Amino acid sequence: MKTVKVKDIIFNEGAPKICVPLVGKTEQSILDEVAFLSSVDFDLAEFRVDFYEFADDLQKVIDLLEKIRQNYNKPLLFTFRTKKEGGEYEMSEDKYFELNHVAIESGYIDLIDIELFSSADKIKELITVAKEKNVKVVMSNHDFFKTPVKEEIVKRLVQMQEYDADITKIAVMPKSEEDVLTLLSATLEMKKEKGDRPCITMSMSSLGVISRLSGELFGSCMTFAAAKKVSAPGQVNVKEVRNILNLLHN
């Protein structure tokens, strides 16, 4: 099982890493969030660009990335979550890939989120550019309506590996306790049988909170936690998450 190193963070080694989302709507609110992180114990931040009011203005996005970098030195994950996968902003696929391409070329990001269910040719092209720029690819899929069967979850994660994403990720919505077990079982199968690189999985909402905390046991290398505002249902406060992850690790 490979590890992935980004700056001084090593995914698939030790306790799951904690990622805090930046979900402000305005430039100032996002920069305020960045400033607040100086008092928070976390490993990396995710810039959720789809929350930003000027997400479709490429120059404003790059200018904001530059400002973020003036006060932030940890790994930065760049994510535009599309509307169909639970995002805040509607954007054409062409513009989505253009935005991600520009972000990679900017030199301001360390990781980029690319959604699995997009144009295969454009995904491959973007991954090639990312690898040239030493930007790690987190390939993702989100189902806000249900939990697919275990075999389908595993199939999607394996498909992400076949694209040669550096880290694979899936988030699903549980309707029952059994759905949470399905997600955890699929994660464990990736860890023990099908996976060859870091994997991130989560069962959303309050039902699935255990999946955000038990990654070291089942095989999820990262969890998302809220510093101020959540970016998805079921996120827990970052301080509480760190305490629990340390407890389980030790």
Side-chain angles (χ1 to χ4, degrees), residues 29-246:
S29 63
I30 292 165
L31 295 177
D32 287 345
E33 285 184 273
V34 173
F36 180 76
L37 291 182
S38 63
S39 63
V40 175
D41 180 14
F42 70 107
D43 298 300
L44 67 157
E46 177 187 41
F47 177 23
R48 276 290 302 272
V49 196
D50 52 297
F51 279 86
Y52 178 41
E53 62 183 342
F54 297 116
D56 59 354
D57 188 320
L58 302 184
Q59 190 57 53
K60 286 188 176 181
V61 171
I62 299 307
D63 290 345
L64 179 51
L65 279 172
E66 182 180 12
K67 291 175 183 177
I68 290 171
R69 277 304 185 192
Q70 290 171 3
N71 295 296
Y72 176 82
N73 296 312
K74 290 187 176 185
L76 183 64
L77 168 61
F78 183 92
T79 299
F80 182 94
R81 181 67 58 238
T82 63
K83 199 82 169 178
K84 71 179 187 293
E85 298 218 5
E88 295 291 308
Y89 194 94
E90 191 73 58
M91 182 178 283
S92 71
E93 186 171 82
D94 286 345
K95 191 65 177 282
Y96 168 81
F97 279 99
E98 184 183 9
L99 173 65
N100 283 306
H101 190 107
V102 168
I104 292 169
E105 294 281 0
S106 73
Y108 295 129
I109 68 171
D110 303 289
L111 308 100
I112 191 156
D113 183 293
I114 303 175
E115 292 178 357
L116 170 65
F117 291 124
S118 309
S119 163
D121 290 340
K122 290 179 180 178
I123 287 175
K124 292 173 184 175
E125 180 185 348
L126 199 59
I127 290 176
T128 298
V129 175
K131 291 185 182 298
E132 289 172 355
K133 296 293 182 179
N134 197 31
V135 173
K136 302 302 182 185
V137 173
V138 179
M139 185 163 284
S140 67
N141 172 238
H142 304 75
D143 192 328
F144 275 77
F145 302 101
K146 65 183 185 305
T147 297
V149 296
K150 174 184 170 182
E151 292 75 18
E152 178 62 23
I153 294 174
V154 171
K155 176 185 173 184
R156 293 179 191 179
L157 291 168
V158 169
Q159 190 177 351
M160 296 172 195
Q161 290 185 161
E162 291 169 350
Y163 270 114
D164 201 23
D166 297 287
I167 300 172
T168 63
K169 177 193 174 193
I170 193 164
V172 297
M173 185 63 72
K175 302 292 187 183
S176 64
E177 294 90 336
E178 288 81 4
D179 282 349
V180 180
L181 286 175
T182 295
L183 182 278
L184 292 175
S185 180
T187 308
L188 191 59
E189 182 171 329
M190 289 299 295
K191 176 183 175 181
K192 291 196 166 185
E193 299 176 30
K194 303 287 179 62
D196 62 4
R197 65 199 67 200
C199 175
I200 303 165
T201 68
M202 69 206 70
S203 184
M204 294 183 281
S205 83
S206 57
L207 261 180
V209 166
I210 187 65
S211 70
R212 296 180 178 273
L213 306 172
S214 58
E216 189 169 3
L217 176 63
F218 292 99
S220 179
C221 72
M222 189 170 89
T223 190
F224 292 79
K228 279 192 170 184
K229 183 182 175 184
V230 303
S231 63
Q235 278 180 12
V236 183
N237 177 268
V238 62
K239 185 176 181 180
E240 294 174 332
V241 169
R242 179 66 82 192
N243 289 337
I244 294 168
L245 293 184
N246 286 343

